[in-house]
């Protein structure tokens, strides 16, 4: 069969070649990111299955995995208790707001983690101090990191990442 004439023009055009290369690189990055998320999900499911009777250990491992997946150096997991968010796991060197199992955050939109919980959506903040207008109550002892807010025992969302 004969090759269409316009195919040669398309294949030899520097613009189309550059666009194709950019598209391929973009697709490779997306695939790598999907593999990272899939591996992290498998790791978390494995931890849950092996630590099913040790919830604090499972949550601590999930915090570590979340920080790694988000390229963050800190992560917390909070659980809704009454009208507050209770700290149930923490990973990283940034001081938390208090001890695990006792520290709480108010459930209002002035706190990043609480807003993520209330809006049920991901919120990314790279510099909390610079975002003081958006989050006036911030998270007093935290400048940035990754947070997970446990919406219910069976429903979680990812919050900030640095």
């Amino acid at each position: 069969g004969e090759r269409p004439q316009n195919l040669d023009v398309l294949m030899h055009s520097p613009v189309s070649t550059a666009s194709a290369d950019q598209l391929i690189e973009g697709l490779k990055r997306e695939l790598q990111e999907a593999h990272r998320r899939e591996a992290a999900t498998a790791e978390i499911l494995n931890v849950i299955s092996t630590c099913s009777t040790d919830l604090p250990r499972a949550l601590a491992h999930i915090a570590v995995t979340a920080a790694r997946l988000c390229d963050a150096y800190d992560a917390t997991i909070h659980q809704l208790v009454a009208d507050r968010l209770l700290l149930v796991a923490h990973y990283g060197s940034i001081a938390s707001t208090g001890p695990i199992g006792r520290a709480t955050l108010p459930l209002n939109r002035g706190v990043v983690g609480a807003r993520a919980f209330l809006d049920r959506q991901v919120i990314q903040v790279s510099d909390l101090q610079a975002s003081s207008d958006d989050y006036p109550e911030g998270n007093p002892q935290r400048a940035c990191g990754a947070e997970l807010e446990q919406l219910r025992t069976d429903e979680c969302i990812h919050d900030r990442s640095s």
Side-chain angles (χ1 to χ4, degrees), residues 26 38 70 81 86 124-125 145:
E38 187 177 309
C70 295
V81 176
L86 176 69
Q124 182 170 343
V125 178

Side-chain angles (χ1 to χ4, degrees), residues 135-154:
Y135 305 102
E137 296 181 46
N139 203 349
Q141 296 173 321
R142 303 170 70 81
C144 58
E147 285 193 19
L148 293 155
E149 302 303 331
Q150 186 170 345
L151 299 177
R152 295 184 208 131
T153 53
D154 61 345

